[in-house]
Amino acid sequence: MLRYIAHRLGLALISIAGVVVVVFLITYLLPGDAARTQAGQYATEEQIQALRVQYGLDRALPVQFWNYLVGVVQFDFGQSIRTQGSVTEELLDRLPASLELSLGALLIALVVGIVLGALAARSAGGVTDGAVRGFALLASSTATFWVGLMAVLLFCNILGWFPSPVGRLPRGYDAPDTVTGSYVVDALLAGDPELAGVALRSIALPCLVLGLVVTPSIIKNVRSSTIRALDSDFTRTSRLFGYGSTSILFRDGLRNSLLPVLTGITIVAGYLLGGNIIIEQIFSWPGIGQYAYQALQSHDLNALRGFALLVGIIYVLLNTVLDILYTVVDPRVRTAPAARRTRPSARRPEVAA
Amino acid sequence: MIRRTAVRVARGVAVATAAALLVAGCSSSSETSGGTSGASTGSSAAGSGASSGGAAPSKDVIIGYGAVGVLDPIVFKSNTGFMITNNIYGTLVSQEYTEQDGLLVGDATYQPELAESLEWDAAGTLLTITLKPGLTFQDGTPLTAEDVVYTLQRSLSPESYANAFKVYIGIEDETTDITAVDDTTLTIATQFEAPLMEKFLSFPIFGILPKAVGEANKTADDPWATAYFSKNNVSSGPYVVESWPGDAEIVLAKNPAYTASDTSAAPETVTVKNVSDPNQQYLALQQGQLDLAMGLTPKLAKQAESDAAVKVTASSASQLAYLGFNNADPVLKDVRVRQAISYLVPYDTLRTEVMQGFANDAYGPAPYPMASSLDPDGTKVAYPTDVAKAKALLAEAGVSDLTLTLSVNAADPTSVESATFIQSALQEGGVTLNVEQLQSSEYTQKLGEKQLQMFLGEWYSWGQDAVYQMFFLLSSGSFVNYTGFDNAEIDSTLTEAISEADVATRDGLSQTAQQIAIDEAPMAYLYARNYLVVSNPNVSGITQPDDALPYFRYLSVQ
């Protein structure tokens, strides 16, 4: 077991090294001149050149790469050319807001995805299945930006169910003292349930929109895994034993389909953290997604690299933890071929004779 | 054991969440009623931990705009940042305003602010500035002439965006031409009578910073402490930074140490929130979450005009939108081709469809209402849309089957839309126009390196001075002369006008230069964009200063 964990951690390190190299090269090859963009239209050529020198943009590619590597090893992503602040500090300041949003969205996506996926599997080919698949198709093909905007218009401005998105709290409320970084939790810890409620209402709509956007992949995953499980020998055995359809759905279908679904959830979790740029921008949510959007707008290379690296590292670590978890849940994974590690077969539950 | 604990935690979180939701449901009506001004008590940097509990009327204003970036006035990175520096650093003089249809419009007169008096010597080349007595920075340290000298030298240094201003105010060497006489007196020696001096001294880029703080935080690589002033503020103006928790928002509070002008009626706090999406700004305005929105698109502003929940304030301004021609291009270097394209541009369509009426005709490089503009009322047209004339000019130039490329910034929807209309209009004149949408940074790079054949640009001069504007846009040595226009006559006329103190003579030179710029058509002058602010109806005191960003001390929310 320990050997396997060491092996997985080694692979994670190699993956992170790959992320580090790819992120640098992609951002380096982006069209445009970061110094000129940042300097703006009032800057002279001399001032633009001074910026290039200040941020090392005038150096040769190997020198820039080496300086970048030295910084990354020290978890120092350099200085933002837009804000003049430390990218690492700015990302860490914003990370709690993104984590709160992403975890809330993941929770919604899991509940909705598993319930709808199971319902669709139960009536495969039927009306419910068609409706769920239709919903999944609609949710995955509709532009996130449009969904977000319409949601704000309907739920904030017309129905008034949620406060207008101008950050993590509406007008008239101050942030709670920071403990966890989650306003909802911190407000509860501070003994201020009203503030917690307001914070929850502020985050609810972006969570819903973000959650629903990523739900289709979970629905498809749960549906196909559950259908496979319901078609298996052990499910037929359960039917012969006379178990009810609901019991079979949960005991044989869902329970045996959740393990492969874990893989999908990891992908979704990674997407939620790195792919919520549009949602954060729409809802003026001060997380790392909004930071990345502004960095992209202003060609802030260090900030862009920091964001991509942070998300990449978290993603690799998530996958590593998941792989290790697999071995705890299903020891066969440790000795299985690579192809089976990512999609373990459904386990037959013990059936009392 | 672990499992039991996890279950307990999960149950606890579930119960707490349910309780919070219940409370949220109970209080839902209090902050989403919309239209009322909420009570922001001004968050502390650390977070007070106490909520103010909803919507009591107050003198707190919330503005939706973008991210601040940095606070140093000499290297600001965004309009939002520049707007903040306007309000936290006091200037020697400030513009006076005249009310026009509920808007305070800046006029051509300047009143002393931190200065008590400004006096030129008989030759008009030595300005003596006396400061008001008893001035202090927000931390209580006295504001002296040494601070003013330090600031002016800093603002005119090579590190500053205002370094280019020296030529307009006749300062040859800021390190020797600006000197402190005593604690409250300083002198500025100029090479000529500088008619723009007072106007320039009102720019926020000359807002006064404390010398001692700058000296204490400078380094060998950063002699003007830009790293420190980018993130920290010691205010000399009407507001101080109360909290700045990153990009999300910045909260300003009235500066109790500021005595240079009466701010008793000014808002107690002003919060500028990073709501950069125009659609979100508008929706938040409707809900009363914002009092003012800066940066709404013309289409949203048009929509807002028929919305009782918001107020649209629009006023003529001289923000020039132009179609730039690369004057070094083999085809476009022929003035007849440039004139022909100018005759093909659908000016009326751009003003009505793209700008939704929030724009005036732009008669040349110094459009109405800029002082000394050749167009006294915003109605003159230099190149009316005339396909026949355009075709005749192209034939005269010996050009046929012309294909050109217009590059636009893909992130600017107004430019993208304008390009579509221009492309269609040029087609009518037999000119094929390829529209190339470039990502912001690539567009900026190619524009700066003069690699674009045609482009859509905008220019707004803080000083609203025609000579200053043309010197930037059209003089051959200017770093923002993106068209590469090189005309000896306009260069000499502008150079002469810069040092001309007599207003009538200067205006004459200005108009001569304007006419050259119209005849030579280095660019097609599309329209002059209105100054546009959308606010809640109960907001008054919105200013339209020369630098086109509001001064908070005049605002009030009824």
Side-chain angles (χ1 to χ4, degrees):
Chain A
M1 181 67 182
L2 282 175
R3 200 167 155 185
Y4 176 76
I5 291 173
H7 172 71
R8 294 304 309 169
L9 288 175
L11 283 179
L13 279 174
I14 293 167
S15 302
I16 288 171
V19 168
V20 167
V21 174
V22 168
V23 163
F24 176 83
L25 289 176
I26 287 176
T27 49
Y28 182 82
L29 293 171
L30 279 175
D33 178 351
R36 190 178 290 278
T37 304
Q38 271 312 307
Q41 64 177 350
Y42 301 109
T44 60
E45 287 297 331
E46 292 77 15
Q47 287 166 342
I48 293 166
Q49 183 56 27
L51 265 181
R52 284 195 195 102
V53 172
Q54 184 186 340
Y55 288 94
L57 299 170
D58 60 327
R59 307 280 180 82
L61 174 64
V63 177
Q64 285 192 48
F65 183 62
W66 174 252
N67 291 340
Y68 159 81
L69 273 183
V70 169
V72 168
V73 168
Q74 299 167 355
F75 205 66
D76 175 8
F77 299 145
Q79 192 184 25
S80 161
I81 200 169
R82 178 177 68 88
T83 68
Q84 309 276 299
S86 156
V87 170
T88 309
E89 283 176 22
E90 287 175 345
L91 282 169
L92 292 177
D93 282 348
R94 286 168 160 269
L95 192 58
S98 286
L99 284 175
E100 187 177 34
L101 180 64
S102 300
L103 289 172
L106 183 62
L107 190 67
I108 288 166
L110 281 175
V111 171
V112 175
I114 290 171
V115 169
L116 291 185
L119 286 174
R122 186 180 186 176
S123 67
V127 176
T128 308
D129 184 28
V132 171
R133 289 168 72 187
F135 164 77
L137 184 69
L138 193 71
S140 57
S141 59
T142 310
T144 309
F145 181 82
W146 187 84
V147 173
L149 212 56
M150 289 303 107
V152 172
L153 185 65
L154 178 64
F155 295 113
C156 299
N157 284 58
I158 294 173
L159 299 173
W161 292 358
F162 301 104
S164 193
V166 288
R168 297 178 76 180
L169 287 170
R171 182 173 193 157
Y173 291 90
D174 294 338
D177 289 330
T178 303
V179 180
T180 65
S182 159
Y183 277 14
V184 178
V185 176
D186 288 352
L188 287 172
L189 291 173
D192 193 342
E194 184 196 353
L195 185 60
V198 168
L200 195 59
R201 286 183 61 246
S202 296
I203 197 174
L205 191 58
C207 274
L208 272 169
V209 172
L210 190 56
L212 290 177
V213 163
V214 298
T215 297
S217 66
I218 296 177
I219 290 175
K220 289 170 193 169
N221 230 322
V222 171
R223 181 183 172 274
S224 57
S225 305
T226 308
I227 286 173
R228 269 201 307 275
L230 291 176
D231 283 344
S232 63
D233 293 343
F234 55 81
T235 305
R236 274 195 289 277
T237 307
S238 294
R239 285 200 189 96
L240 287 172
F241 274 105
Y243 288 111
S245 60
T246 306
S247 169
I248 289 170
L249 175 69
F250 282 97
R251 258 168 44 101
D252 298 327
L254 257 184
R255 185 176 148 195
N256 284 289
S257 68
L258 284 183
L259 190 61
V261 166
L262 266 177
T263 310
I265 289 170
T266 315
I267 293 167
V268 166
Y271 171 81
L272 284 173
L273 195 59
N276 56 9
I277 293 175
I278 293 170
I279 291 293
E280 288 193 4
Q281 185 61 18
I282 288 173
F283 286 88
S284 303
W285 196 260
I288 59 171
Q290 190 192 54
Y291 185 72
Y293 179 88
Q294 285 164 348
L296 192 61
Q297 289 292 309
S298 54
H299 207 74
D300 190 347
L301 291 182
N302 286 341
L304 271 176
R305 285 169 185 161
F307 167 80
L309 279 173
L310 184 67
V311 172
I313 289 167
I314 289 172
Y315 194 69
V316 169
L317 292 178
L318 268 176
N319 273 289
T320 305
V321 169
L322 182 81
D323 282 347
I324 293 166
L325 271 179
Y326 268 158
T327 64
V328 175
V329 176
D330 187 352
R332 291 175 302 170
V333 171
R334 254 175 287 171
T335 53
R340 284 183 59 200
R341 283 180 197 155
T342 54
R343 191 176 282 281
S345 57
R347 280 198 308 140
R348 178 175 180 157
E350 290 175 17
V351 180
Chain B
M1 177 68 189
I2 292 171
R3 191 177 162 185
R4 274 207 302 272
T5 308
V7 169
R8 279 198 206 108
V9 169
R11 281 180 185 158
V13 169
V15 169
T17 304
L21 270 171
L22 192 66
V23 171
C26 294
S27 62
S28 65
S29 59
S30 63
E31 354 68 54
T32 54
S33 53
T36 56
S37 71
S40 168
T41 55
S43 52
S44 65
S48 66
S51 61
S52 62
S58 75
K59 289 186 70 183
D60 302 318
V61 173
I62 301 186
I63 298 171
Y65 209 179
V68 171
V70 301
L71 283 179
D72 190 332
I74 70 166
V75 288
F76 67 91
K77 302 287 182 202
S78 69
N79 277 344
T80 311
F82 184 57
M83 180 175 76
I84 298 298
T85 63
N86 282 11
N87 291 282
I88 58 178
Y89 291 115
T91 47
L92 292 167
V93 295
S94 58
Q95 195 168 13
E96 291 188 348
Y97 297 94
T98 306
E99 186 162 348
Q100 291 177 21
D101 302 324
L103 180 71
L104 297 176
V105 180
D107 53 35
T109 54
Y110 296 84
Q111 59 191 344
E113 187 180 325
L114 296 179
E116 189 168 56
S117 65
L118 292 85
E119 288 181 17
W120 289 97
D121 70 348
T125 54
L126 186 73
L127 177 65
T128 302
I129 300 172
T130 306
L131 299 179
K132 285 177 178 167
L135 295 174
T136 65
F137 289 99
Q138 73 176 81
D139 59 359
T141 56
L143 190 157
T144 68
E146 284 290 348
D147 297 304
V148 178
V149 171
Y150 170 80
T151 298
L152 298 185
Q153 290 177 343
R154 185 178 190 270
S155 299
L156 294 169
S157 70
E159 283 80 5
S160 166
Y161 293 154
N163 176 248
F165 292 172
K166 282 159 57 173
V167 67
Y168 303 100
I169 51 180
I171 292 177
E172 191 172 44
D173 181 355
E174 68 278 5
T175 61
T176 55
D177 292 343
I178 307 169
T179 50
V181 176
D182 56 38
D183 276 357
T184 57
T185 314
L186 65 139
T187 59
I188 301 176
T190 60
Q191 301 301 304
F192 51 79
E193 288 188 65
L196 295 181
M197 181 64 85
E198 285 192 358
K199 187 190 284 273
F200 272 58
L201 291 179
S202 75
F203 292 170
I205 208 160
F206 293 107
I208 308 305
L209 276 65
K211 179 180 179 178
V213 175
E215 292 289 328
N217 290 282
K218 72 178 181 184
T219 65
D221 293 333
D222 184 15
W224 295 109
T226 55
Y228 178 83
F229 285 118
S230 289
K231 289 291 168 197
N232 300 279
N233 144 252
V234 183
S235 172
S236 59
Y239 284 91
V240 300
V241 177
E242 189 175 87
S243 74
W244 187 20
D247 272 346
E249 66 177 27
I250 185 166
V251 182
L252 305 185
K254 232 193 295 196
N255 179 5
Y258 178 77
T259 56
S261 63
D262 180 19
T263 57
S264 56
E268 292 299 323
T269 69
V270 178
T271 303
V272 179
K273 283 188 170 285
N274 181 3
V275 185
S276 52
D277 182 72
N279 295 292
Q280 291 305 337
Q281 283 190 12
Y282 182 43
L283 293 172
L285 261 179
Q286 287 178 311
Q287 264 214 335
Q289 291 291 324
L290 297 176
D291 294 313
L292 257 89
M294 303 291 298
L296 255 64
T297 60
K299 280 189 168 59
L300 283 170
K302 194 70 187 174
Q303 192 181 331
E305 277 189 325
S306 55
D307 186 341
V310 297
K311 178 177 74 175
V312 178
T313 305
S315 169
S316 295
S318 309
Q319 182 161 334
L320 175 69
Y322 64 92
L323 171 64
F325 305 125
N326 187 333
N327 283 233
D329 182 82
V331 178
L332 295 172
K333 68 182 180 187
D334 188 329
V335 65
R336 292 165 299 186
V337 176
R338 300 198 299 264
Q339 288 172 337
I341 295 169
S342 298
Y343 276 120
L344 289 174
V345 172
Y347 302 99
D348 291 347
T349 307
L350 293 178
R351 281 201 331 277
T352 55
E353 297 298 322
V354 178
M355 293 306 297
Q356 297 288 313
F358 294 112
N360 294 76
D361 281 309
Y363 187 74
Y368 169 85
M370 196 175 276
S372 86
S373 170
L374 281 171
D375 180 10
D377 55 11
T379 57
K380 285 178 79 173
V381 181
Y383 290 92
T385 309
D386 189 333
V387 178
K389 233 175 197 176
K391 285 182 172 175
L393 279 164
L394 288 173
E396 190 185 321
V399 174
S400 59
D401 299 325
L402 184 57
T403 301
L404 298 165
T405 300
L406 171 62
S407 304
V408 295
N409 183 349
D412 178 9
T414 305
S415 286
V416 173
E417 193 180 4
S418 298
T420 307
F421 283 111
I422 293 167
Q423 182 182 40
S424 174
L426 262 60
Q427 194 67 52
E428 287 184 38
V431 178
T432 303
L433 188 69
N434 299 318
V435 176
E436 174 188 48
Q437 291 191 35
L438 299 174
Q439 192 244 334
S440 289
S441 54
E442 188 179 8
Y443 178 82
T444 308
Q445 181 188 0
K446 288 185 170 175
L447 185 69
E449 293 170 358
K450 298 186 175 65
Q451 291 178 18
L452 304 178
Q453 188 177 36
M454 287 167 66
F455 60 92
L456 289 175
E458 285 208 14
W459 183 263
Y460 185 87
S461 295
W462 293 341
Q464 288 297 279
D465 180 81
V467 173
Y468 166 75
Q469 171 133 326
M470 286 185 285
F471 203 88
F472 264 112
L473 275 180
L474 300 166
S475 66
S476 56
S478 169
F479 55 92
V480 290
N481 175 1
Y482 300 125
T483 61
F485 182 58
D486 187 354
N487 182 289
E489 192 182 356
I490 207 168
D491 283 355
S492 62
T493 306
L494 291 172
T495 304
E496 188 183 344
I498 278 172
S499 56
E500 177 55 61
D502 180 69
V503 175
T505 309
R506 193 172 186 275
D507 286 354
L509 292 165
S510 161
Q511 294 188 342
T512 300
Q514 286 175 59
Q515 195 57 57
I516 296 167
I518 291 168
D519 296 340
E520 289 293 317
M523 55 183 68
Y525 309 101
L526 303 180
Y527 52 80
R529 187 190 279 260
N530 284 175
Y531 180 67
L532 193 60
V533 179
V534 185
S535 65
N536 281 335
N538 52 358
V539 173
S540 60
I542 297 169
T543 49
Q544 183 190 350
D546 274 353
D547 50 45
L549 288 164
Y551 283 79
F552 302 154
R553 66 179 180 269
Y554 298 98
L555 289 172
S556 67
V557 182
Q558 301 306 319

